[in-house]
Amino acid sequence: MDQVKRQIHCQDAKGLGFSGKGVGVAVLDTGVYLHPDFKDRVIGFRDIVRGRITPYDDNSHGTHVCGIIGGNGMASGGRFEGMAPGCNLIGVKVLDKKGNGFASDVLAGLRWVRENRERYGIRIVNISVGSFNRKVMDEDSALVRGVDAAWDDGLVMVIAAGNQGPEEMTITTPGISRKVITVGSSDDQKAVTVMGNHMVNYSGRGPTAACVCKPDIVAPGSRIVSCANQSGRYQFKSGTSMSTPLVSGAIALLLEKYPHMTNVEVKLRIRERAVDLGLPHNQQGWGLLDVERLLADAGRVPEAGRGRR
């Protein structure tokens, strides 16, 4: 995680002056294991799949995502600290132990988040989930309408571009929504294993079928270390599922600094402060996430440069 943070110019929480404290991030995924790095910050849990009350994760994907967003690195002596180690996490289990699920469960999870946003202070929703079923690859699909409704409620929706690249029109649903912040991988040229499949140049590319330019932003996604669903353990995972929580965590820092910022203002700032990597727009979107630039005050924005590290 240290190397990943250097790529996107993110110091530790103390150096940044912000940790995401008080910002609620809902994670729709396979659940969340109460890893020591979360301490008492998993403040809500809803199990759409099995109806269990106590937080759990029978896959580990959701826990890994939560660790990237808000792990405090306690079990690793701070080495594997997440982006916003002071934020609050709300786990919503919409995928089963194999990482599979139904659109209806994702929609039920979204409804629950919208109904409970005030109770848990939810500002951001992370969805590292996507479908590449051609039957739902349209803006009128139930999944797109679901994330759009949450966006219209004022939630910052951060969604993975999917791992179906490198061809055009490979953004997964609901990342095809024109409203949400869709995240691709900035380092997908590396050969990795995703869900047991060997991949390279895997990050979903736009445009969408409706000619919407996607992704919006990219962040590292290859061999990211984060929390496992075992006490004090960590593991590598790869994919745009890992890129997405880096952006969600960065936004938690931003919303701690500017708590009255709207989701539209957040998206505009993401666009304005991204670093152009010189890649095709349908691959990089606006460019690479740069946390230092994202948090900088107006008039004090660090100079951006292609390939800046």
Side-chain angles (χ1 to χ4, degrees), residues 1-308:
M1 185 67 79
D2 290 347
Q3 183 179 2
V4 169
K5 284 189 171 185
R6 285 195 295 272
Q7 288 180 51
I8 56 178
H9 297 102
C10 181
Q11 308 169 57
D12 60 31
K14 184 177 180 181
L16 285 168
F18 301 97
S19 67
K21 184 177 181 180
V23 178
V25 186
V27 178
L28 275 64
D29 215 291
T30 61
V32 56
Y33 172 76
L34 295 180
H35 194 280
D37 285 13
F38 304 144
K39 207 172 181 182
D40 302 321
R41 292 178 296 106
V42 178
I43 63 170
F45 179 73
R46 175 70 170 179
D47 181 6
I48 304 296
V49 178
R50 299 176 63 189
R52 291 172 58 176
I53 303 301
T54 305
Y56 74 103
D57 182 0
D58 50 7
N59 175 280
S60 82
H61 190 274
T63 301
H64 197 274
V65 167
C66 285
I68 294 170
I69 295 170
N72 65 12
M74 186 179 74
S76 64
R79 183 180 178 191
F80 300 131
E81 182 183 85
M83 290 293 296
C87 76
N88 293 324
L89 296 164
I90 300 90
V92 185
K93 184 172 175 62
V94 297
L95 302 179
D96 64 20
K97 63 183 180 180
K98 294 183 179 180
N100 299 323
F102 299 97
S104 57
D105 286 344
V106 176
L107 292 169
L110 281 170
R111 285 194 296 272
W112 182 86
V113 167
R114 292 169 64 194
E115 291 166 359
N116 289 274
R117 56 176 300 188
E118 298 295 335
R119 178 182 181 185
Y120 295 114
I122 299 170
R123 300 290 312 276
I124 304 160
V125 180
N126 187 100
I127 303 183
S128 290
V129 175
S131 170
F132 199 59
N133 184 337
R134 292 294 183 183
K135 294 180 180 180
V136 298
M137 300 294 284
D138 120 21
E139 289 187 284
D140 195 44
S141 70
L143 277 173
V144 173
R145 285 188 278 113
V147 298
D148 283 354
W151 180 273
D152 291 343
D153 274 357
L155 292 164
V156 182
M157 305 298 296
V158 189
I159 301 180
N163 304 319
Q164 302 295 324
E167 301 302 321
E168 294 184 353
M169 297 179 62
T170 51
I171 303 290
T172 53
T173 303
I176 61 172
S177 163
R178 65 184 65 211
K179 293 185 177 182
V180 305
I181 298 170
T182 305
V183 185
S185 172
S186 62
D187 58 355
D188 73 336
Q189 76 282 357
K190 298 177 182 177
V192 298
T193 300
V194 180
M195 301 291 288
N197 298 311
H198 298 293
M199 294 184 173
V200 66
N201 298 323
Y202 55 82
S203 188
R205 266 74 156 168
T208 70
C211 294
V212 178
C213 293
K214 289 285 177 174
D216 298 304
I217 188 82
V218 292
S222 298
R223 291 185 60 79
I224 307 297
V225 181
S226 185
C227 302
N229 58 347
Q230 299 178 48
S231 185
R233 301 293 295 274
Y234 299 89
Q235 61 185 160
F236 289 101
K237 284 187 183 294
S238 299
T240 61
S241 286
M242 286 59 255
S243 307
T244 304
L246 286 170
V247 175
S248 292
I251 293 171
L253 302 178
L254 182 66
L255 289 177
E256 181 190 1
K257 183 173 184 179
Y258 301 109
H260 301 297
M261 188 173 278
T262 68
N263 56 359
V264 174
E265 290 169 337
V266 166
K267 188 172 182 180
L268 288 172
R269 193 175 181 103
I270 289 280
R271 182 182 70 183
E272 293 165 359
R273 303 296 176 90
V275 176
D276 184 2
L277 297 174
L279 299 173
H281 189 86
N282 75 326
Q283 181 178 349
Q284 71 160 23
W286 301 315
L288 177 69
L289 173 70
D290 187 311
V291 181
E292 183 183 342
R293 285 173 53 81
L294 185 68
L295 297 180
D297 296 329
R300 298 174 55 192
V301 182
E303 183 181 355
R306 180 180 171 185
R308 174 174 172 264

